[in-house]
Amino acid sequence: MRNLKVIMTYKGTAYHGFQIQDNAVTVQDVVEKCVSRVLNSETSITGCSRTDAGVHANRYCFSVLTDSKIPEKSFVRGVNSYLPSDISILSCEEVPLDFHARYSCKAKEYVYLIHNSECRNPFAEDLQYHYRRKMDIELMRKAAAHFIGTHDFRSFCSARTDKTNTVRTIYELSIEKENELVKIFIKGDGFLYNMVRIIVGTLLSVNEGKISADEIPLILEKTDRLSAGKTAQAHGLYLNRVFY
């Protein structure tokens, strides 16, 4: 038995997230079918994370157990030959059998892309969130600093979450602006359902004067979803990197 660690990238616009669902097309469903064809057996893959409908991934990791002796390079070429144009396998390597794409993960980094302009960019449609208001990056950075550290993020996750433990650690939260493109990077030990999108939405609420930058610690303490900002749209979000 071999354990393969695979890195892929995908545009999530056409999919209802990563994880297999009934009556919906997902990334996992499409990839598993292609992997099964290459390995000549019904195969399941284990993803590093769930992603919501419309969310993208720059470097997503999954692991797959197989008896096949296929070379790693042939696996990459073979699976890519069957995949649609919005999913691509980047690399494959054999790893120890105890490696698990999800449970071996030490940290994840997401990036949220904002096209900050009065006018839409047709080439960024479904890939960046279009935001017309002028952005006070320094004010947003001041608010962002309050998220760093270990906190109960119940105020910043969907009420639909199935997690009883909502404590997470944010290692880094940075905001970069280059011309009309704003990038919000968030790295942490794990993320709750919609957590990154709600943090981004709250930072935008700070920018709009609806929430004070200094209110963030109080919102964290309240553990009340209604006290935080809106949930930013899915299409600006990317799983950027996974750390093992």
Side-chain angles (χ1 to χ4, degrees):
M1 182 65 68
R2 301 168 68 205
N3 192 14
L4 302 179
K5 175 187 175 185
V6 184
I7 304 297
M8 69 175 170
T9 183
Y10 60 82
K11 178 182 177 183
T13 305
Y15 304 100
H16 290 262
F18 172 79
Q19 189 166 320
I20 285 180
Q21 301 178 30
D22 294 332
N23 304 316
V25 178
T26 67
V27 175
Q28 183 179 7
D29 180 44
V30 171
V31 173
E32 281 189 354
K33 289 176 180 176
C34 297
V35 169
S36 296
R37 291 181 69 179
V38 170
L39 298 180
N40 294 314
S41 65
E42 197 71 26
T43 305
S44 297
I45 66 174
T46 300
C48 64
S49 178
R50 299 177 182 179
T51 54
D52 296 341
V55 173
H56 318 293
N58 289 326
R59 293 185 65 83
Y60 186 101
C61 179
F62 70 84
S63 52
V64 56
L65 293 170
T66 179
D67 289 323
S68 173
K69 295 181 180 180
I70 185 172
E72 289 93 329
K73 184 178 289 187
S74 298
F75 176 91
V76 173
R77 289 177 175 174
V79 178
N80 278 336
S81 70
Y82 294 120
L83 284 171
S85 60
D86 51 9
I87 305 175
S88 179
I89 304 299
L90 301 178
S91 67
C92 172
E93 64 175 307
E94 187 168 352
V95 291
L97 289 175
D98 62 356
F99 175 83
H100 190 283
R102 180 180 175 189
Y103 297 124
S104 298
C105 180
K106 303 299 183 185
K108 298 171 188 172
E109 180 185 74
Y110 284 86
V111 60
Y112 196 92
L113 302 185
I114 299 173
H115 176 231
N116 185 212
S117 171
E118 180 63 32
C119 303
R120 286 187 174 277
N121 177 359
F123 300 104
E125 193 71 18
D126 296 327
L127 297 174
Q128 299 172 16
Y129 173 51
H130 179 220
Y131 185 75
R132 291 187 175 88
R133 291 175 181 263
K134 183 178 179 180
M135 298 181 73
D136 187 335
I137 301 298
E138 290 306 317
L139 178 64
M140 293 174 66
R141 285 173 176 159
K142 180 181 177 182
H146 293 296
F147 290 106
I148 298 174
T150 302
H151 308 284
D152 187 338
F153 281 93
R154 187 168 294 276
S155 293
F156 295 89
C157 71
S158 168
R160 293 163 50 197
T161 185
D162 57 358
K163 303 294 184 182
T164 55
N165 178 11
T166 50
V167 175
R168 298 291 185 272
T169 300
I170 298 298
Y171 302 123
E172 300 172 12
L173 204 171
S174 61
I175 305 172
E176 301 176 3
K177 188 176 192 300
E178 183 177 348
N179 299 320
E180 296 177 337
L181 179 61
V182 176
K183 300 179 181 180
I184 301 176
F185 293 92
I186 305 180
K187 179 182 177 181
D189 64 352
F191 295 91
L192 302 164
Y193 185 46
N194 282 349
M195 179 173 158
V196 176
R197 292 168 58 193
I198 295 170
I199 289 175
V200 171
T202 301
L203 291 175
L204 293 177
S205 292
V206 170
N207 183 69
E208 295 162 13
K210 297 175 181 177
I211 295 175
S212 165
D214 295 326
E215 281 185 69
I216 302 301
L218 179 60
I219 295 173
L220 286 163
E221 289 177 12
K222 285 183 177 179
T223 63
D224 176 10
R225 170 66 187 94
L226 296 178
S227 64
K230 61 186 178 182
T231 303
Q233 294 185 26
H235 66 266
L237 184 61
Y238 295 70
L239 176 59
N240 196 43
R241 291 187 293 172
V242 187
F243 301 85
Y244 293 99

